[in-house]
Amino acid sequence: AQKITQTQPGMFVQEKEAVTLDCTYDTSDPSYGLFWYKQPSSGEMIFLIYQGSYDQQNATEGRYSLNFQKARKSANLVISASQLGDSAMYFCAMREGWSGYSTLTFGKGTMLLVSP
Amino acid sequence: GAVVSQHPSWVICKSGTSVKIECRSLDFQATTMFWYRQFPKQSLMLMATSNEGSKATYEQGVEKDKFLINHASLTLSTLTVTSAHPEDSSFYICSARFAEEQFFGPGTRLTVL
């Protein structure tokens, strides 16, 4: 079974509107972390936001917020007030456990296109 | 945030040659570094986990003798693609762990002719 599932291969949004990128995960480890990264066409991976499994509140970072629904095992990324520069590939990722050897597992990604 | 550099940013080589890619954490010490490969329009696939002073741990299906990883210091890890072939052409990304975050290098685009 896939550990990280991103069901939206592509999403379109108009500038200044909000958009939600879906992510569901699968783990039996009670300790895990969920991450969102942005990858523009240049290829660099840009860290956006992090949510720990024990965090009580949803994480927020500027225009990014993470809608964490633990019982449903979902960690959707919400981008408010989209900008043209938000057009990129977005990856959801999970790290299980807290050891130094824990690795990130990535979803297949969602391509977001922001139109004027 | 912490900075991870990679060198070179792109390389073109002939089939059969070896290519070395360097990954450095510039402003922090990373006990663990990771190497990923990304084919066009696909996700990042972990190749190996590298710890300073010990042998790398390779993911299933990744050839240890083909992709040599050396983590000589807390700030440097290298990936050598030996006897590269066209099917090794890909985008290689390194990453370094610092506390709970994982920082990525800008990637190296390898094209094997």
Side-chain angles (χ1 to χ4, degrees):
Chain A
Q2 294 230 356
K3 291 202 171 185
I4 294 287
T5 302
Q6 294 180 255
T7 57
Q8 307 153 315
M11 288 285 285
F12 292 91
V13 67
Q14 274 202 312
E15 204 176 2
K16 299 179 186 176
E17 290 187 348
V19 63
T20 298
L21 306 184
D22 295 341
C23 173
T24 57
Y25 60 93
D26 182 29
T27 181
S28 56
D29 195 324
S31 299
Y32 55 90
L34 298 158
F35 301 76
W36 277 93
Y37 287 88
K38 171 185 178 181
Q39 187 180 42
S41 56
S42 60
E44 61 181 313
M45 294 291 285
I46 301 169
F47 167 74
L48 296 178
I49 197 166
Y50 165 80
Q51 180 87 41
S53 59
Y54 296 114
D55 294 343
Q56 296 295 317
Q57 294 191 327
N58 287 343
T60 60
E61 288 287 347
R63 294 186 299 113
Y64 304 107
S65 60
L66 200 152
N67 184 358
F68 182 44
Q69 297 189 39
K70 197 169 182 176
R72 296 179 61 186
K73 293 189 175 179
S74 75
N76 298 340
L77 176 70
V78 180
I79 305 175
S80 62
S82 297
Q83 301 172 355
L84 295 178
D86 293 335
S87 293
M89 195 74 168
Y90 288 80
F91 291 100
C92 178
M94 176 175 65
R95 183 168 65 224
E96 297 171 280
W98 300 117
S99 80
Y101 301 93
S102 301
T103 59
L104 279 177
T105 302
F106 286 86
K108 292 188 175 182
T110 296
M111 175 63 78
L112 175 67
L113 290 177
V114 181
S115 61
Chain B
V3 178
V4 176
S5 71
Q6 264 183 260
H7 179 80
S9 55
W10 60 270
V11 57
I12 302 173
C13 68
K14 291 182 179 180
S15 185
T17 60
S18 294
V19 174
K20 180 186 281 188
I21 303 170
E22 288 189 352
C23 174
R24 293 180 186 272
S25 56
L26 296 185
D27 49 3
F28 66 100
Q29 293 184 328
T31 52
T32 306
M33 288 187 172
F34 308 89
W35 287 95
Y36 294 84
R37 181 165 57 180
Q38 185 181 31
F39 291 108
K41 300 190 188 301
Q42 293 189 23
S43 188
L44 281 72
M45 297 302 296
L46 181 67
M47 298 176 67
T49 302
S50 146
N51 289 285
E52 185 262 340
S54 61
K55 290 184 179 179
T57 302
Y58 290 81
E59 294 298 298
Q60 194 171 10
V62 178
E63 299 174 59
K64 301 178 184 181
D65 296 332
K66 183 167 187 62
F67 299 100
L68 301 179
I69 292 172
N70 184 292
H71 194 155
S73 75
L74 288 172
T75 59
L76 173 65
S77 176
T78 59
L79 168 68
T80 301
V81 184
T82 62
S83 187
H85 291 286
E87 58 266 29
D88 298 324
S89 297
S90 188
F91 191 55
Y92 292 87
I93 309 174
C94 76
S95 177
R97 177 133 177 223
F98 181 71
E100 292 310 314
E101 292 190 48
Q102 196 163 320
F103 298 93
F104 287 82
T108 296
R109 197 164 299 281
L110 170 64
T111 302
V112 185
L113 302 177

